[in-house]
Amino acid sequence: MTDPHLEDPEYDRHGGFPNFQPATPGPGFGRFLSAMRRAQDLAVSADPDSETWDRAADLVEELVGLLGPTEAAEGVGPANRVPSLPGAGSLLMPPYHVTKFDSDGVELTVQFSRYHVGGNYAVHGGVLPLMFDSTFGMVIHATGRPISRTGFLHVDYRKITPIDVPLTVRGWVREAEGRKAFVNAELRDADENLLAEANGLMIRLLPGQP
């Protein structure tokens, strides 16, 4: 990864983005994420009796009461700042791990679960643009381009995306032109079958742009 300041001396003034640094919240945060991911799966698949739902609601409300007073600003809490954890510690993202991160692009492994199902045990079509958009951001960072936002994102669905199996996401800059970076990404299974592919435009922010 090259230093984006070399291309854009105004890099730090763009958009007011927090200067994200890796977080070390301790092992309890990893345990919390694992339990929450399982809770998400169960929230869309469990079918207990009314008494159990009431008890579950009590426990969740207790958790909200425990964590509520500690709510922090963006870039302060550990979510999305722990690279060693699935999804970098963000419950918003499917649990991915980065396996390649350099000027040629990025590669991730990801495994979707019951929480991501849209129907018939296939990953919801709306989840894949989220994964691709995040991949585009990683590509911009890995290739040393300045802070950018998505101009457009187009997804083609080639095959059903399954849950509970490891998949691979790859992303790279296809072409760069001034403030514009045209980015491609693809999702493949273990047999290299193309499940979905995306192309998009990432536009470098001007000073002060949010």
Side-chain angles (χ1 to χ4, degrees), residues 14-139:
H14 292 179
F17 278 75
N19 184 13
F20 289 100
Q21 297 294 326
T24 54
F29 183 62
R31 289 176 49 219
F32 170 79
L33 285 175
S34 295
M36 287 296 294
R37 289 193 187 281
R38 181 58 181 152
Q40 288 180 151
D41 287 338
L42 291 171
V44 298
S45 61
D47 186 26
D49 57 31
S50 177
E51 182 178 347
T52 302
W53 278 128
D54 285 337
R55 177 61 179 143
D58 290 340
L59 292 171
V60 172
E61 289 170 356
E62 182 180 350
L63 175 61
V64 170
L66 173 67
L67 294 179
T70 72
E71 188 171 359
E74 182 184 11
V76 176
N80 205 37
R81 297 199 301 125
V82 190
S84 61
L85 292 176
S90 172
L91 286 172
L92 173 66
M93 297 304 304
Y96 66 81
H97 290 280
V98 178
T99 56
K100 175 186 175 183
F101 190 89
D102 59 35
S103 59
D104 292 331
V106 301
E107 183 170 306
L108 325 169
T109 59
V110 62
Q111 184 163 309
F112 300 97
S113 65
R114 184 69 180 273
Y115 179 66
H116 305 108
V117 167
N120 202 23
Y121 291 94
V123 173
H124 192 292
V127 172
L128 298 188
L130 171 65
M131 187 71 249
F132 282 133
D133 194 35
S134 185
T135 301
F136 286 179
M138 292 182 217
V139 168

Side-chain angles (χ1 to χ4, degrees), residues 1-8 11 98 100-107 134-149 170-185 200-204:
M1 182 180 73
T2 59
D3 184 353
H5 295 85
L6 298 176
E7 180 177 338
D8 181 9
Y11 177 81
V98 178
K100 175 186 175 183
F101 190 89
D102 59 35
S103 59
D104 292 331
V106 301
E107 183 170 306
S134 185
T135 301
F136 286 179
M138 292 182 217
V139 168
I140 293 299
H141 188 47
T143 54
R145 289 187 60 82
I147 293 173
S148 304
R149 282 199 181 275
R170 299 184 182 95
W172 63 95
V173 173
R174 183 181 78 252
E175 179 183 356
E177 179 183 309
R179 293 172 57 206
K180 300 178 179 179
F182 296 91
V183 185
N184 281 41
L201 170 63
M202 302 295 288
I203 304 174
R204 185 184 75 198

